[in-house]
Amino acid sequence: MSEVAARVAQVYREDSRRILATLIRLLGDFDLAEEALHEAFFVAVERWQQDGVPDNPRAWLVSTGRFKAIDVLRRRARFKASQPLLLAQLEELEQSEWDVEDVEDDRLRLIFTCCHPALAADAQVPLTLREVCDLTTEEIARAFLSAPAAIAQRIVRAKAKIRDAKIPYQVPSLNELPERLDSVLRVIYLVFNEGYSASGGAQVTREDLTREAIRLGRLLLELLPDPEVMGLLALMLLHESRRSARSSADGELILLDDQDRKLWNAELIAEGCNLVERALTTGRFGPYCLQAAIAAVHAEAPTAGETDWEQIVGLYDVLLRAVPSPVIELNRAVAVAKRDGALAGLTLIEGILERGDLQDYHLAHSARAEFCRQLGRVEEAREAYRRALELTRQEPERRFIEGRLQELTPSNRP
């Protein structure tokens, strides 16, 4: 690969979704913007080879994409001159101007557009993850434990709704922000989660997604210094502080208890803990603040053995009352096991699974397998690990589970 081609590929990896967000705002059409984006990068490979890489590649690509879109609309207008809406769209685009300074916040504008209350609730998050973060429909489907075809249909319908209803690409006014906040926080956290623990692929984490989610969290906090925004940003920072310790140099998964805490980022921990304290002192905190408080207890423990599990279980109790959820129940069960022993945790997890919840969630079966292993219930552990392996799509997790299964084979047991 030539030096210029490598630079184009780098810009695509780092900036393509920001460029797309700006093109969507300028063009008012998701599909046209995606076509313009790819056309712009195609042109860049040839033009940058001849003219050199521009000082501001992102602005160059937005401008090139915009002109490519104008060309597309002109061609359509020649064949569909009877459609006044198409001619009006072309005229508006040709006469419009755009400011390079507007580009930086376009992803936040796009998130609010994708989370507009006019859209179906079950389409808002998938649309944002697809358009803002470039996740595939398969990745989104795994995150939602849903079928890719169903996710694709939601995304198509949401795009059509935005186009037909002319939903504006803008951050809402301060009066409108609070009622739109829950969906946006949920989206940003799902983006972070996909980066912090990738749903599939060869790596444990995707730094590009965690970094982008944190950037969006900071932007949102500037707009609205709400306790839950503080809580979400704190939660992401505290989790991100452990990222470099979560996998080995050769990409193998390292569990929390086994991580080298000297590798944790002290600066992110300090910032996250400070935000937790600020949020909790308001007395108006919610689920993100409580999750951040749990993460802070982990972060402040010098060693795994010194973790205050009593406090963590108490925080999970409060969190469950605020947001009843089988996943939170699972996390609480793990905390109870740390406090009261493996049998106590296993009893809680089996109760969740017997209800029919989390049957397709690999971490529930992994946790059950681990507690069975600790209790010497080898066959049950192997069965649960095999089920977890069937459900796991991330390669480091698969290797970890396969290693556990190998340890439990009769020839390897002491």
Side-chain angles (χ1 to χ4, degrees):
M1 181 183 290
S2 70
E3 184 177 339
V4 169
R7 177 63 173 136
V8 172
Q10 179 189 10
V11 174
Y12 186 88
R13 286 194 306 272
E14 295 178 355
D15 284 331
S16 63
R17 304 324 284 183
R18 289 192 182 94
I19 295 165
L20 178 64
T22 299
L23 288 171
I24 289 172
R25 174 172 61 83
L26 293 174
L27 304 177
D29 185 307
F30 281 87
D31 296 331
L32 181 60
E34 289 178 0
E35 182 180 348
L37 173 76
H38 293 296
E39 284 285 335
F41 274 96
F42 181 79
V43 171
V45 174
E46 180 179 350
R47 291 281 295 277
W48 294 5
Q49 193 77 47
Q50 298 172 355
D51 304 336
V53 178
D55 293 337
N56 190 332
R58 194 190 307 170
W60 189 97
L61 286 158
V62 170
S63 182
T64 301
R66 177 175 172 272
F67 283 121
K68 286 293 180 182
I70 289 173
D71 289 342
V72 168
L73 291 176
R74 282 174 178 161
R75 288 196 298 272
R76 291 179 186 174
R78 283 200 295 270
F79 292 103
K80 301 179 181 180
S82 61
Q83 296 188 18
L85 288 177
L86 182 59
L87 292 171
Q89 182 184 8
L90 176 58
E91 182 179 356
E92 180 181 353
L93 183 56
E94 288 177 324
Q95 294 177 358
S96 66
E97 297 181 359
W98 70 280
D99 187 343
V100 68
E101 298 300 325
D102 288 340
V103 174
E104 187 61 30
D105 293 345
D106 272 332
R107 294 185 93 178
L108 192 58
R109 292 188 183 97
L110 183 55
I111 285 179
F112 275 101
T113 301
C114 293
C115 296
H116 195 280
L119 301 179
D122 64 356
Q124 293 174 5
V125 177
L127 177 65
T128 308
L129 293 175
R130 178 71 193 95
E131 299 303 323
V132 179
C133 302
D134 201 24
L135 298 194
T136 66
T137 52
E138 289 77 14
E139 288 172 325
I140 299 167
R142 283 197 293 271
F144 279 87
L145 304 178
S146 185
I151 294 295
Q153 287 176 352
R154 293 180 202 173
I155 291 171
V156 169
R157 286 196 296 265
K159 286 182 180 180
K161 178 72 172 181
I162 290 172
R163 182 191 64 236
D164 297 341
K166 299 189 181 303
I167 292 174
Y169 296 88
Q170 63 186 32
V171 175
S173 67
L174 287 176
N175 291 335
E176 297 173 310
L177 264 177
E179 67 184 41
R180 302 272 296 278
L181 190 59
D182 284 349
S183 293
V184 172
L185 292 176
R186 183 162 50 103
V187 166
I188 293 174
Y189 192 39
L190 280 169
V191 173
F192 179 84
N193 276 338
E194 180 60 30
Y196 184 70
S197 184
S199 61
Q203 296 180 314
V204 175
T205 63
R206 290 180 58 180
E207 185 181 359
D208 58 328
L209 292 181
T210 58
R211 184 174 61 243
E212 180 60 23
I214 288 171
R215 188 188 76 84
L216 292 170
R218 293 189 192 282
L219 278 174
L220 193 57
L221 186 59
E222 289 178 15
L223 275 171
L224 188 66
D226 181 271
E228 275 294 83
V229 180
M230 292 180 201
L232 175 60
L233 180 55
L235 178 60
M236 295 190 295
L237 292 170
L238 290 165
H239 283 325
E240 180 69 1
S241 72
R242 303 199 297 262
R243 183 173 54 80
S244 61
R246 296 186 64 238
S247 59
S248 64
D250 55 358
E252 297 306 317
L253 180 67
I254 302 176
L255 299 183
L256 179 62
D257 285 357
D258 301 322
Q259 290 174 15
D260 181 356
R261 299 189 176 215
K262 294 190 295 292
L263 296 177
W264 289 5
N265 187 313
E267 184 177 334
L268 293 182
I269 290 172
E271 183 182 0
C273 288
N274 178 262
L275 283 168
V276 171
E277 291 175 7
R278 285 174 55 195
L280 293 178
T281 55
T282 67
R284 297 185 292 109
F285 52 84
Y288 292 111
C289 290
L290 291 167
Q291 292 178 76
I294 292 168
V297 175
H298 283 294
E300 291 172 339
T303 66
E306 295 174 85
T307 304
D308 188 346
W309 290 107
E310 183 70 37
Q311 185 178 3
I312 288 176
V313 171
L315 287 166
Y316 272 124
D317 289 339
V318 178
L319 181 60
L320 262 177
R321 288 196 293 271
V323 188
S325 157
V327 172
I328 295 173
E329 279 189 72
L330 174 65
N331 293 337
R332 179 184 179 277
V334 173
V336 168
K338 292 289 188 179
R339 184 190 68 180
D340 301 335
L343 182 58
L346 179 61
T347 301
L348 293 171
I349 289 175
E350 289 185 335
I352 296 169
L353 292 170
E354 286 169 5
R355 288 201 316 258
D357 292 328
L358 305 185
Q359 288 289 344
D360 295 327
Y361 188 48
H362 72 280
L363 293 179
H365 296 283
S366 290
R368 178 174 180 269
E370 178 61 21
F371 295 147
C372 286
R373 185 182 74 88
Q374 292 176 20
L375 293 166
R377 293 157 61 167
V378 176
E379 289 307 315
E380 291 177 75
R382 292 174 63 189
E383 178 189 355
Y385 274 132
R386 282 194 290 266
R387 178 58 179 152
L389 190 60
E390 291 174 1
L391 297 168
T392 303
R393 297 294 176 264
Q394 187 195 97
E395 286 306 315
E397 286 185 335
R398 292 184 61 82
R399 292 195 297 270
F400 178 86
I401 294 170
E402 287 167 351
R404 282 287 201 248
L405 278 168
Q406 186 68 24
E407 291 172 6
L408 292 173
T409 57
S411 60
N412 289 317
R413 294 208 310 271

